[in-house]
Amino acid sequence: MTIKLVGRSFLCRLLTGIGCGFLLGTSLAIAQPLQPGPHDLRFAQLPTRWDEALPLGNGVLGALIWQKNQRLRFSLDRADLWDLRPMKGLDRPEFSYQWVQDQVRKKEYKIVQEYFDKPYDTEPGPTKIPGAALEFNTAALGPVTSARLIIQNAVAEVKWQNGAVLRSFVHATEPVGWFRFEQIPADFSFELLPPAYGKAIEEKAENAVVDGDDLVRLGYAQGNVVRQKNKITYHQTGWGGFSYDVTIQWTQKGTTLEGTWTIASHFPEKKKNAVSAKTGPQTYAADLAAHRSWWQRFWAKSAVQVPDSLLQKQWYLETYKFGATARADAPPISLQAVWTADNGRIPPWKGDYHHDLNTQLSYWPSYSGNHLTESIGYLNHLEENLPVYRAYTKRYFGTDGLAVPGVTTLTGKEMGGWIQYSLSPTVSSWLAHHYYLQWKYSQDAVFLRQKAYPWLKGVARHLEQLTVLDESGKRKLPISSSPEIKNNSLEAWFPTNTNYDLSLMKFVFKAATEMATVLGNQSDAQHWQTIQNQFSDFAMSDQKELMFAASLPYNESHRHFSHLMAIHPLGLIRWEDGENAQQIIKNSLALLDRVGPDWWCGYSYAWLGSLKARAKDGSGAAEALQTFASAFCSVNSFHLNGDQTKSGKSKFTYRPFTLEGNFAFAAGLQEMLLQSYAGFIEVFPAIPASWKNVGFTDLRTEGAFLVSARRAAGKPDGVTVKSEKGGTARLKLPFKNYVVKASQRASVEKSETGFVTIKLQPGGSVTFGN
């Protein structure tokens, strides 16, 4: 087995660690002051929980800065620290979709649960694992007077009563974290603390899956910490020859201390690399300048301005977290990304890759948010693991083509769990939607030809072979499910297509038809269109409400809006299609509201923001996002799943941290400001009437257009459309009367009432104003 985790250049830097030679910062650090802003995290004292900490990261390395037992603590993490032991029991000969069908037909489902579901709950691995912690004895500095995360520069700053200051960052592009203390005593001390792999914790988890199992269950021998002059190292061996090394180095001159930390991982399939010196000295000031330059470019990609200060700040914090967790050449965003729980336990849900919602929601904001450079890391990960997915597809489903497990390790291996979802046949279909969005928003013809269409074609082949025609000639899965309706019971399997599976299959064949047509492959396009026509209509009640399935109306509160996939994100039922579609959308969302949020999570409210926005309900979208930000987030903006206010927003009141709700929130606000999924660009499609002054800069649309717009005193005040790749765009005009300013590379013609057609060459732009 080959493990390919990150791009070659970044991988080389990561595996070799960070150099031992560095100098104290020069006046450069002082000459470039940090840029505090209104959306920063600000505390009067250091947080005292890891899930309330100041978060830093670069997609591979991460740190949480907080206080534990009166000491300043850095929780250190790395994205590819993984115990990759195979999930016990998944090598059985019964591991097949056909065998599961047989048990469902015989109504003997207990054995399926025993074989393939129970191991996920009872076995400690495979799992993401934590790195280490760095603790500073700050007692002599007096109490903390302020703690701040300056998101514009991605720098944490802590100040103490005696005048001492800490500034820390995780370099945006290098495998190193920095800390710099000023005004500290000569005997300032700190230590590196390894995770408690060799010692059980006293407090047992009520639910090991949600709360995290005891690290000691992994069976590791406790690693060694070695302290030398100005250097501490920690070596930890894990399962199957995997190991990692943490290295801390520092220099103190007078009252100023500067140091670096790094983590290097070593997989047995690769030639082992020791942590070695980087060529040439490095300085805090020079690295900070390079780090800030990257973040300056990141923040220049897009901006939003809304009059709701809660939503405005939350969007900027979510965008910051995306910049801290996503890179093109790093592992994709898992449940906690580079901020694994620092509580002596395995992280909630093993910190794995849940592809039945969590990974997908995490990348929703990247497309219209204009961060395609970072979003491609998700797809690069899928491409790297293609051989693993193909082997799984053949072994479990017995089909050619492409399926992906719903719950996977770092290397794409299946992990079991509730197999209706962890082994769902349509997981790769939802992943296909991200290939589709990356293509539509980038218009990258090479990506379409080499990656997007091959993925869609592989998924389509798998589904064509797996589905059957019923007695009426309609195509269906032998057994179908809808995350996570009826949980893990026999009743969770439906004899007809659920709306969840149906919408994903319809999407795949529709998108494959579109891609093949663009590529000039008419034979493929006709074939996929023929299969697309064989699927039935969506299951709906007499009141035109989307159901879970033909045999089950929407009649229970549930955190996963799986039955509404056709509305959002897939856009198969669109408001723009007319009265019938609008009635389905309005009635389905009204029913969702009536049944209520008893068993919703935070991400449910974040997703609801996008659903309401697709229904052009600005007030409803804003309310959903306000609930998410005010009730389901930690003080540091982390999504904690349960209602932290315990005010009835949900019966879930626990606090496991996962990231998908955070990023779905950002996508929801963007959906309120700009939409392009229906074949035209619409600015401010779903904003509350009370939002008199609102705007955004360089949000991206399908067709690779960048749009900026503003609304002042309740009226549209300007719209600019820029083209990255050239092409034709339709714009729904927010003006009755307007003036046009077009560049030499653009032309505008009125195509129909309320719309204009814009023809742009690469780099061309058009501005519309009153």
Side-chain angles (χ1 to χ4, degrees):
M1 179 178 64
T2 300
I3 301 177
K4 184 179 179 185
L5 300 175
V6 291
R8 286 194 297 270
S9 60
F10 200 21
L11 179 63
C12 178
R13 299 196 300 272
L14 289 168
L15 290 178
T16 57
I18 205 67
C20 57
F22 59 86
L23 307 174
L24 283 174
T26 66
S27 59
L28 179 62
I30 300 172
Q32 297 180 342
L34 299 177
Q35 299 171 279
H39 310 309
D40 295 344
L41 285 177
R42 288 175 287 177
F43 303 111
Q45 57 191 21
L46 274 170
T48 56
R49 293 181 57 107
W50 71 269
D51 57 8
E52 297 179 351
L54 304 178
L56 302 170
N58 67 4
V60 173
L61 296 182
L64 297 169
I65 299 177
W66 55 297
Q67 180 176 300
K68 183 177 182 181
N69 299 328
Q70 306 305 311
R71 288 172 172 255
L72 174 70
R73 186 175 176 97
F74 283 40
S75 303
L76 309 181
D77 194 17
R78 180 180 159 119
D80 64 354
L81 299 185
W82 261 83
D83 182 307
L84 290 173
R85 70 186 73 189
M87 180 61 76
K88 186 178 292 186
L90 299 191
D91 56 352
R92 295 176 181 273
E94 295 90 348
F95 186 76
S96 80
Y97 186 60
Q98 181 60 58
W99 182 81
V100 173
Q101 292 175 53
D102 294 341
Q103 310 320 303
V104 171
R105 186 180 64 254
K106 294 186 293 185
K107 298 185 178 180
E108 296 178 356
Y109 201 65
K110 186 175 181 180
I111 192 171
V112 180
Q113 297 167 330
E114 187 73 22
Y115 282 3
F116 304 133
D117 306 331
K118 188 176 179 181
Y120 185 88
D121 294 338
T122 59
E123 295 298 317
T127 182
K128 176 72 175 70
I129 57 176
L134 183 61
E135 282 194 351
F136 299 86
N137 185 356
T138 55
L141 308 183
V144 168
T145 57
S146 70
R148 186 168 193 153
L149 175 63
I150 302 170
I151 64 170
Q152 183 71 23
N153 307 124
V155 174
E157 182 180 77
V158 183
K159 295 182 178 180
W160 284 265
Q161 191 177 61
N162 77 330
V165 178
L166 161 71
R167 294 185 179 90
S168 180
F169 64 95
V170 173
H171 198 298
T173 60
E174 296 288 339
V176 59
W178 277 92
F179 52 89
R180 175 186 168 94
F181 290 88
E182 299 174 5
Q183 301 302 314
I184 58 168
D187 59 351
F188 190 65
S189 64
F190 52 93
E191 60 182 327
L192 180 61
L193 302 174
Y197 291 119
K199 183 181 179 181
I201 54 179
E202 295 181 3
E203 183 183 353
K204 298 301 178 183
E206 293 183 16
N207 185 329
V209 175
V210 176
D211 299 327
D213 211 342
D214 197 329
L215 284 173
V216 75
R217 290 200 61 213
L218 295 172
Y220 299 170
Q222 188 68 57
N224 296 318
V225 177
V226 177
R227 186 167 188 129
Q228 302 167 296
K229 183 180 180 181
N230 293 354
K231 184 177 182 180
I232 306 174
T233 60
Y234 161 52
H235 178 74
Q236 179 65 55
T237 298
W239 179 86
F242 169 75
S243 66
Y244 68 91
D245 293 273
V246 183
T247 303
I248 315 296
Q249 298 175 90
W250 68 93
T251 298
Q252 184 168 355
K253 184 176 181 180
T255 62
T256 300
L257 169 74
E258 287 184 359
T260 62
W261 65 269
T262 191
I263 305 176
S265 61
H266 314 286
F267 289 88
E269 290 80 2
K270 292 182 174 291
K271 181 180 179 182
K272 186 168 182 176
N273 296 76
V275 177
S276 59
K278 184 179 177 181
T279 303
Q282 60 193 112
T283 67
Y284 170 88
D287 270 11
L288 177 59
H291 165 79
R292 292 179 63 181
S293 178
W294 186 93
W295 278 95
Q296 183 179 25
R297 293 191 299 273
F298 176 82
W299 285 115
K301 289 292 185 178
S302 60
V304 306
Q305 304 85 37
V306 299
D308 186 313
S309 59
L310 175 66
L311 302 191
Q312 171 97 351
K313 181 169 183 175
Q314 191 78 24
W315 184 86
Y316 275 95
L317 289 172
E318 309 305 21
T319 303
Y320 164 78
K321 290 197 288 292
F322 190 80
T325 56
R327 292 292 184 279
D329 48 5
I333 300 168
S334 60
L335 292 178
Q336 293 90 27
V338 293
W339 299 309
T340 301
D342 181 10
N343 58 1
R345 300 183 184 277
I346 292 167
W349 296 285
K350 298 178 167 63
D352 57 32
Y353 295 95
H354 266 56
H355 296 308
D356 65 349
L357 178 144
N358 306 82
T359 54
Q360 290 93 330
L361 269 63
S362 291
Y363 286 88
W364 276 357
S366 60
Y367 306 107
S368 63
N370 196 22
H371 293 295
L372 299 188
T373 300
E374 287 72 40
S375 65
I376 197 66
Y378 187 27
L379 307 182
N380 288 343
H381 169 83
L382 299 176
E383 292 290 307
E384 290 163 3
N385 290 320
L386 273 172
V388 178
Y389 303 145
R390 289 195 178 106
Y392 157 77
T393 306
K394 178 64 72 174
R395 179 172 164 241
Y396 183 71
F397 291 108
T399 63
D400 299 321
L402 189 58
V404 176
V407 180
T408 75
T409 69
L410 175 71
T411 56
K413 288 288 290 181
E414 62 273 10
M415 294 175 63
W418 293 359
I419 68 164
Q420 298 92 334
Y421 327 111
S422 68
L423 303 177
S424 163
T426 57
V427 172
S428 55
S429 307
W430 197 346
L431 298 173
H433 188 240
H434 284 269
Y435 278 87
Y436 180 79
L437 293 176
Q438 187 80 19
W439 166 55
K440 293 292 282 187
Y441 279 81
S442 70
Q443 289 298 294
D444 186 332
V446 175
F447 173 78
L448 169 65
R449 184 176 64 255
Q450 295 183 354
K451 293 185 178 180
Y453 182 59
W455 183 279
L456 269 290
K457 186 173 183 178
V459 177
R461 289 181 61 196
H462 156 67
L463 293 174
E464 180 183 5
Q465 294 176 23
L466 194 67
T467 50
V468 296
L469 296 178
D470 64 17
E471 60 277 3
S472 62
K474 296 298 184 181
R475 189 170 288 272
K476 63 182 286 289
L477 290 165
I479 52 176
S480 182
S481 65
S482 188
E484 294 161 319
I485 307 309
K486 302 300 181 183
N487 295 329
N488 184 32
S489 66
L490 175 64
E491 290 71 30
W493 289 111
F494 293 81
T496 58
N497 290 329
T498 62
N499 275 340
Y500 171 79
D501 280 335
L502 181 60
S503 62
L504 286 168
M505 291 189 291
K506 282 189 168 191
F507 163 75
V508 163
F509 289 102
K510 180 176 183 290
T513 301
E514 180 182 352
M515 289 179 173
T517 301
V518 171
L519 291 171
N521 190 335
Q522 292 303 317
S523 176
D524 275 10
Q526 291 172 7
H527 181 68
W528 303 138
Q529 182 65 59
T530 297
I531 296 176
Q532 181 187 347
N533 293 341
Q534 293 172 343
F535 288 103
S536 64
D537 294 333
F538 293 108
M540 274 184 279
S541 70
D542 294 340
Q543 288 74 42
K544 290 189 176 181
E545 301 154 333
L546 286 167
M547 304 166 69
F548 290 124
S551 59
L552 184 66
Y554 182 79
N555 59 3
E556 62 175 281
S557 178
H558 199 281
R559 61 192 176 274
H560 197 308
F561 301 151
S562 53
H563 66 301
L564 300 179
M565 291 283 290
I567 301 173
H568 181 277
L570 301 177
L572 300 176
I573 301 174
R574 306 183 302 186
W575 187 269
E576 293 79 2
D577 290 338
E579 184 177 349
N580 185 58
Q582 292 171 15
Q583 202 68 40
I584 293 169
I585 293 171
K586 285 193 295 186
N587 292 358
S588 296
L589 294 183
L591 178 60
L592 189 76
D593 288 337
R594 288 200 306 274
V595 172
D598 279 358
W599 297 111
W600 292 5
C601 286
Y603 65 67
S604 310
Y605 283 97
W607 187 352
L608 184 61
S610 285
L611 283 163
K612 295 278 189 177
R614 289 283 173 98
K616 316 304 178 182
D617 179 4
S619 296
E623 182 181 4
L625 297 182
Q626 288 161 353
T627 300
F628 171 83
S630 61
F632 290 85
C633 291
S634 176
V635 293
N636 71 347
S637 79
F638 279 2
H639 166 231
L640 298 181
N641 276 268
D643 176 10
Q644 303 306 298
T645 66
K646 297 179 173 57
S647 61
K649 304 297 184 183
S650 172
K651 290 184 177 179
F652 285 117
T653 57
Y654 58 4
R655 57 180 297 147
F657 158 53
T658 59
L659 278 162
E660 74 295 314
N662 291 119
F663 300 131
F665 169 94
L669 185 58
Q670 291 162 203
E671 197 78 29
M672 294 171 65
L673 299 173
L674 182 68
Q675 294 176 10
S676 63
Y677 69 94
F680 59 86
I681 297 169
E682 183 175 7
V683 299
F684 307 130
I687 60 173
S690 60
W691 285 15
K692 302 301 183 184
N693 299 295
V694 57
F696 58 86
T697 304
D698 283 351
L699 291 184
R700 180 178 284 265
T701 72
E702 293 187 8
F705 299 103
L706 298 178
V707 180
S708 302
R710 61 186 178 272
R711 174 183 170 99
K715 296 181 180 180
D717 193 37
V719 178
T720 297
V721 180
K722 298 184 292 186
S723 176
E724 189 174 79
K725 297 291 180 68
T728 300
R730 290 177 66 228
L731 173 66
K732 184 177 181 180
L733 283 168
F735 311 99
K736 290 184 178 179
N737 300 298
Y738 59 91
V739 294
V740 180
K741 181 179 180 181
S743 71
Q744 291 182 345
R745 299 183 175 187
S747 63
V748 179
E749 59 185 53
K750 193 168 184 177
S751 56
E752 56 190 283
T753 302
F755 287 83
V756 293
T757 297
I758 310 167
K759 295 182 179 180
L760 298 166
Q761 298 178 32
S765 66
V766 176
T767 296
F768 300 85
N770 288 318

